[in-house]
Amino acid sequence: MLTSADKTQIENFVIKVRNAGSDEQRVRMMALSELSKVHRRINPQTNEPYAPTTNRRLITEYRNIIKAELGENASVLDTFK
């Protein structure tokens, strides 16, 4: 289940990718940066990093929303794994 903060983060990422246009290098760097943010998240209740499975689910949600918004063949999906 996505939190409202997660949804907002994903929406902002999709907007950034759209604004980047056809600049493949910029899109790739944005995707790598976003993946880094996901993996560095800290659970506020435990002050520990989120479990890899939790991060993986969030990445899957990113991919699903990217596919819905930008299409199945969006170049960002190649990097965003």
Side-chain angles (χ1 to χ4, degrees):
M1 175 170 33
L2 288 177
T3 66
S4 61
D6 291 338
K7 289 178 185 177
T8 301
Q9 185 69 25
I10 295 170
E11 289 170 5
N12 289 338
F13 177 71
V14 170
I15 290 168
K16 287 180 193 176
V17 170
R18 268 198 191 118
N19 291 338
S22 62
D23 187 347
E24 294 289 326
Q25 185 63 24
R26 185 172 175 207
V27 170
R28 178 174 161 70
M29 293 308 295
M30 286 189 304
L32 292 173
S33 176
E34 200 71 18
L35 285 169
S36 177
K37 288 178 192 176
V38 168
H39 289 292
R40 288 183 313 197
R41 294 182 324 142
I42 301 293
N43 185 332
Q45 296 174 345
T46 63
N47 288 327
E48 297 289 328
Y50 280 99
T53 53
T54 303
N55 291 338
R56 187 71 216 153
R57 274 185 252 132
L58 180 59
I59 291 168
T60 299
E61 288 299 325
Y62 265 90
R63 289 181 59 80
N64 290 338
I65 292 172
I66 290 168
K67 285 178 187 176
E69 295 289 325
L70 303 176
E72 292 282 331
N73 297 324
S75 63
V76 70
L77 292 172
D78 294 337
T79 305
F80 211 87
K81 294 181 183 182

